[in-house]
Amino acid sequence: MLVTGGNRGIGLAIARAFAEGGDAVAVTHRSGEPPEGLFGVRCDITDPEQVEAAYKEVEEKQGPVEVLVANAGITRDQLLLRMSEEDFSAVLDTNLTGTYRVVKRAARGMLRARKGRIVLISSVVGLMGQAGQANYAASKAGLVGFARSLSRELGSRNITCNVVSPGFVDTDMTRALSDEQRADFVKQVPLGRYAQPEEVASSVRFLASDEAAYITGAVIPVDGGLGMGH
Ligand code: NDP
């Protein structure tokens, strides 16, 4: 199985959860070193050539990817009138087009094998919206339409495609917020706290398991009740 952006945060927790379950795990890391004890390949998902090279490396070592978790993502928050075209397109290019790149490459092997599991990491913000995150929310909402289209295209080949939609998770991404913003966000969460990355990982593992064989095109919230059906 392969996790993009598996060197830290939610991606690392997902990779570790699968490794603990006995799976052969590969992670992509854009910068730095691969995480200790995990097989890592360097890859910036905005570069199609790096995506192709990363898959070749993973396939040589572990065979075709049977489970893909498209997790890598960025934010560039700004209110609309201050949001540059660069801020908008960088977020779309990483979160949405980057996911298209890695999913398309994985689907090749899955179609041949006539089985596969694809899990995309979206966000509660994709369907609720969030002031200052029009680019991010658009990219994350786009993942839902993308996943649902793929579940229709690939379902007859025993490939499922689902979305996990986390709320506020305690990672570098949310640590970048001010204390005031963090406290404000927590007030909106019925469970009254941030999620730990491992709590997202357990839903991803479920979607990749035999128990979830009949689930596709679903959006699974892991948000402490924040989205309430969004
Ligand atoms: P982090 O910022 O902690 O980690 C982001 C990961 O994505 C890093 O591994 C980073 O690599 C990688 N990445 C970013 N851009 C690229 C790129 N161009 N190519 C390859 N890898 C890239 O984020 P989180 O762990 O918090 O978030 C993981 C996912 O979960 C994201 O998609 C995010 O949108 C989503 N999410 C997060 C929530 C939260 O509250 N934290 C809530 C809802 C969704 P590098 O280390 O090289 O920068």
Side-chain angles (χ1 to χ4, degrees):
M1 68 90 53
L2 174 66
V3 188
T4 64
N7 53 314
R8 60 192 173 100
I10 294 171
L12 178 57
I14 293 169
R16 292 228 184 276
F18 276 87
E20 277 160 25
D23 289 286
V25 175
V27 301
T28 72
H29 60 104
R30 180 181 51 168
S31 54
E33 295 298 312
E36 218 186 301
L38 291 173
F39 170 58
V41 291
R42 194 174 274 276
C43 176
D44 184 328
I45 61 165
T46 62
D47 179 347
E49 282 172 16
Q50 288 190 37
V51 170
E52 179 58 32
Y55 269 90
K56 283 208 174 116
E57 229 183 295
V58 171
E59 285 166 350
E60 263 165 37
K61 177 135 174 128
Q62 299 185 338
V65 172
E66 292 176 0
V67 176
L68 169 67
V69 182
N71 161 81
I74 58 166
T75 51
R76 292 259 187 107
D77 297 355
Q78 198 57 268
L79 294 171
L80 180 64
L81 294 191
R82 290 193 204 136
M83 187 179 284
S84 67
E85 185 148 338
E86 215 274 318
D87 289 335
F88 190 85
S89 47
V91 169
L92 268 290
D93 191 32
T94 304
N95 299 3
L96 185 57
T97 316
T99 298
Y100 147 81
R101 291 183 189 105
V102 295
V103 169
K104 184 176 175 185
R105 184 56 178 78
R108 239 160 67 183
M110 291 178 182
L111 281 165
R112 224 174 282 134
R114 293 190 163 259
K115 66 173 179 193
R117 296 293 167 90
I118 299 167
V119 181
L120 312 183
I121 307 299
S122 177
S123 164
V124 67
V125 159
L127 298 180
M128 281 179 72
Q130 175 75 28
Q133 290 199 308
N135 50 358
Y136 182 76
S139 71
K140 294 299 189 179
L143 292 180
V144 175
F146 182 63
R148 289 187 163 155
S149 302
L150 295 187
S151 59
R152 292 182 192 280
E153 276 187 36
L154 306 175
S156 65
R157 307 290 181 89
N158 193 26
I159 300 166
T160 67
C161 186
N162 291 293
V163 172
V164 168
S165 193
F168 301 122
V169 187
D170 188 21
T171 67
D172 295 340
M173 190 176 268
T174 47
R175 275 175 222 134
L177 301 167
S178 68
D179 288 350
E180 200 186 343
Q181 279 173 314
R182 278 176 67 98
D184 246 21
F185 286 151
V186 165
K187 279 190 215 144
Q188 303 167 40
V189 180
L191 286 180
R193 64 176 177 84
Y194 274 63
Q196 290 305 308
E198 293 73 22
E199 294 177 301
V200 179
S202 52
S203 293
V204 176
R205 272 201 73 199
F206 168 66
L207 288 170
S209 72
D210 290 344
E211 284 74 19
Y214 202 59
I215 302 177
T216 194
V219 179
I220 309 287
V222 184
D223 62 4
L226 177 62
M228 290 283 179
H230 282 281

